[in-house]
Amino acid sequence: MATLDSRTTPICRSLDGDIFNVGKGPIPPVHINCRSIRVPVIDGRALGNRPAVAVRKDDLAGLKGPARRSAVAKLVGQEPSATTYQQWLGRQKTAFQNDVLGPTRGKLFRAGELDLKGFVDNSGKQWTLRELYDQDPGVFQRADIPAPKRKGAPRPT
């Protein structure tokens, strides 16, 4: 179970909601400063709620005192444990998704071309946009995204 906020790493976003037998699968912490945990699953589902924070700096810009507290209260809440990071992120605003994934990955995510597991390799390392494109140019074409530049390619003038 990964933390539902904008600081969750690509590997933890991609593993969130996966179910492993006892003693199998990655055991948190899977990286330095990991905030994911393993939770028991009973009858096929995790029990309880977990915090969710969809706050962006821009959402709170210029707000002070009660207005700021009210805005934070609307953006910080609880989600059922069964909600995956993928489902939760899919319900967030475009700007938040872009903050988390980057604008191009955000567009691929919103277009339904790639889920969060599609952005990382088997070790949890995030693919570059060029690597994603080289694996399947069609996902970029269907989402109406131009091919990423090759490393070292000259910039258009």
Side-chain angles (χ1 to χ4, degrees):
M1 184 175 293
T3 301
L4 299 177
D5 69 14
S6 63
R7 297 181 349 209
T8 302
T9 61
I11 187 170
C12 289
R13 291 190 304 248
S14 72
L15 289 170
D16 186 66
D18 285 357
I19 297 174
F20 302 98
N21 289 328
V22 174
K24 303 291 184 193
I27 299 174
V30 294
H31 57 81
I32 294 172
N33 295 326
C34 185
R35 298 173 300 135
S36 294
I37 60 170
R38 287 183 84 149
V39 298
V41 174
I42 299 171
D43 292 332
R45 52 177 277 207
L47 304 177
N49 293 325
R50 61 181 174 167
V53 181
V55 176
R56 299 176 53 243
K57 289 178 189 174
D58 293 351
D59 294 331
L60 304 175
L63 297 177
K64 294 187 181 347
R68 184 180 178 90
R69 283 191 294 277
S70 175
V72 168
K74 290 177 186 170
L75 297 168
V76 176
Q78 294 283 312
E79 285 285 332
S81 293
T83 302
T84 65
Y85 196 98
Q86 169 101 12
Q87 294 164 334
W88 176 78
L89 186 61
R91 293 194 309 266
Q92 305 310 310
K93 295 177 182 175
T94 297
F96 186 86
Q97 293 171 350
N98 287 348
D99 282 352
V100 170
L101 300 172
T104 302
R105 284 183 189 84
K107 191 170 182 181
L108 289 167
F109 177 76
R110 285 186 296 280
E113 291 298 330
L114 288 173
D115 63 13
L116 296 179
K117 289 190 183 306
F119 294 123
V120 296
D121 66 15
N122 289 337
S123 71
K125 177 186 160 284
Q126 185 165 264
W127 297 106
T128 66
L129 293 176
R130 188 68 215 186
E131 289 169 333
L132 288 171
Y133 181 84
D134 289 344
Q135 289 173 43
D136 186 356
V139 300
F140 282 73
Q141 293 163 355
R142 289 186 299 275
D144 198 28
I145 299 172
K149 301 284 183 246
R150 289 200 182 276
K151 199 171 191 175
R155 293 182 178 250
T157 53

